[in-house]
Amino acid sequence: MTSKAGNKFLIESALLAHGLPSLSDEDMLAAWPRAYQNIAWVEKGRVVIGSLEEFLAFRASDRTLIRIDCNTLDKARSQGISGALTASGTMALCAELGLPLAVTCGMGGIGNIKGEELCPDLPALADLPVALVSTSPKDMLDIDASISWLKQHGVSCLGRHAAICDGYVFRLPPVQLDGIMADTLPAKPGKLLILNPIPPEQRLDDLSLLAQAVQVGHEAEAQGRYFHPAVNGELDRLSSGRTSRMQFRSLADNAELAAMLTAD
């Protein structure tokens, strides 16, 4: 494993690998807020933790990267596989390294996605000693059921400014959270989800676009391809790149929040 000294949190790489089709490498590098050295991925079985520039160079070398979660991380390492880490994969690596916090954007939950009826992100939050900063569960999921599952398994679900979750890149009906986050992490992190939403006025309202994108995602599933990249690609097309820009900015904002929470 390679890593940079001083990391206190890790940033998932799956969105950067598969979810932002309208953004060029130059777009992302120009908009990234600082030279973080804590994006995590797997390269031929070796865990790498590095900068956005380093990850983009790796991505350019292999456009067939798989998505690696907490349940497939060991297999990827033992079999020399390359891929990008999801939220739960990043949390598993944080637990291994003794880091208290992982960062994602749109997280998994409960839904009708093949193999993700209960996304590994939820059990990872319940079982691993790592907190997660996320924007929201993704819009095509049952957000109410996802938050309820976490609460039933002892996970505190907190909002940054309000004790509700009302969607990811769309505006959806509000779901009640447990409260509003503090400015610091608890002494023993774990069983903690912090949601840092995209401002509602920046999100989409036309839910027919979501329905179209979900249909494309299920068609991709039927062809043996990944659901989430297909949905992101269709939403990107339908919104003329707006959802890609929105998600990238949100991932950067979540990284900034994580840096504040782990500052000395």
Side-chain angles (χ1 to χ4, degrees), residues 29-43:
L29 289 168
W32 199 234
R34 64 174 83 180
Y36 288 117
Q37 300 288 315
N38 48 3
I39 298 170
W41 66 94
V42 180
E43 184 172 357

Side-chain angles (χ1 to χ4, degrees), residues 14 23 33 42 59 112 140-141 144 174 262:
L23 299 187
V42 180
R59 185 185 71 167
N112 65 343
M140 74 289 297
L141 302 171
D144 194 359
T262 57

Side-chain angles (χ1 to χ4, degrees), residues 4 7 9-11 31-39 41 49-55 103 249 251-260 262:
K4 304 296 189 293
N7 284 335
F9 64 93
L10 296 180
I11 303 169
W32 199 234
R34 64 174 83 180
Y36 288 117
Q37 300 288 315
N38 48 3
I39 298 170
W41 66 94
I49 301 170
S51 67
L52 178 60
E53 187 172 12
E54 290 169 324
F55 175 74
V103 172
R249 181 67 257 171
L251 181 65
D253 287 345
N254 292 346
E256 292 283 85
L257 176 57
M260 183 270 286
T262 57

Side-chain angles (χ1 to χ4, degrees), residues 72-181:
T72 56
L73 178 57
D74 287 345
K75 177 181 177 181
R77 296 166 91 171
S78 65
Q79 296 186 5
I81 293 170
S82 293
L85 290 175
T86 67
S88 72
T90 307
M91 291 181 71
L93 186 57
C94 285
E96 181 179 326
L97 296 173
L99 302 179
L101 187 62
V103 172
T104 189
C105 197
M107 61 179 284
I110 292 172
N112 65 343
I113 301 166
K114 186 178 179 180
E116 292 188 32
E117 292 81 4
L118 176 66
C119 177
D121 293 353
L122 300 190
L125 274 161
D127 297 338
L128 296 175
V130 179
L132 179 67
V133 173
S134 175
T135 307
S136 168
K138 294 170 186 171
D139 295 306
M140 74 289 297
L141 302 171
D142 187 332
I143 294 179
D144 194 359
S146 301
I147 297 297
S148 294
W149 188 98
L150 290 170
K151 291 180 179 180
Q152 290 164 11
H153 289 78
V155 178
S156 294
C157 302
L158 305 177
R160 185 171 189 185
H161 299 299
I164 60 167
C165 175
D166 60 356
Y168 179 40
V169 300
F170 288 85
R171 290 201 276 194
L172 299 177
V175 173
Q176 193 67 36
L177 304 176
D178 292 311
I180 298 173
M181 58 163 277

